[in-house]
Amino acid sequence: QVQLVESGGGLVQAGGSLRLSCAASGSIFSINAMGWYRQAPGKQRELVARITSGDNTNYADSVKGRFTISGDNAKNTVYLQMNSLKPEDTAVYYCNAAVPGFRESWGQGTQVTVSS
């Protein structure tokens, strides 16, 4: 009963920026954490950034200093601001949510493509 809707993916040049959004909906009374993962072709899915309900954040080393995760608790929405994008950032980005009482939820993914 938890739905995650992602938006904001697209095609950008290296050095450009994108902002991803993920809105959680359903019978949600609280969310422990939300995060962004990505999976490139031929590679395993990896954590990009995560934020807790207390606004604690963590990032993959590869995106530190370039990406920023933030949340809007009232809207059950998280954002991923991606700056200084590199071709190696190209991947499908998935939203994840840890909601008490539900199995871990995933969005459908949004494609981010960074050209050289």
Side-chain angles (χ1 to χ4, degrees):
Q1 294 296 318
V2 179
Q3 299 83 39
L4 302 177
V5 180
E6 299 149 311
S7 62
L11 173 65
V12 297
Q13 290 261 47
S17 298
L18 285 173
R19 189 178 77 155
L20 306 183
S21 299
C22 176
S25 62
S27 299
I28 300 172
F29 296 98
S30 64
I31 299 176
N32 288 338
M34 296 184 72
W36 290 95
Y37 293 70
R38 68 186 181 188
Q39 187 167 27
K43 296 183 178 180
Q44 61 186 356
R45 188 173 299 185
E46 65 176 350
L47 173 69
V48 177
R50 178 179 171 89
I51 186 168
T52 70
S53 60
D55 289 335
N56 293 317
T57 60
N58 61 283
Y59 298 89
D61 288 341
S62 60
V63 307
K64 287 181 179 177
R66 299 189 297 119
F67 292 9
T68 303
I69 189 169
S70 60
D72 185 333
N73 292 330
K75 297 181 179 180
N76 288 332
T77 300
V78 293
Y79 306 93
L80 184 67
Q81 179 66 46
M82 304 185 293
N83 298 325
S84 301
L85 283 162
K86 303 175 181 180
E88 48 264 47
D89 295 319
T90 296
V92 177
Y93 284 69
Y94 296 91
C95 180
N96 169 268
V99 180
F102 296 91
R103 290 179 293 181
E104 190 175 55
S105 300
W106 293 89
Q108 80 289 343
T110 184
Q111 177 70 47
V112 171
T113 302
V114 184
S115 62
S116 299

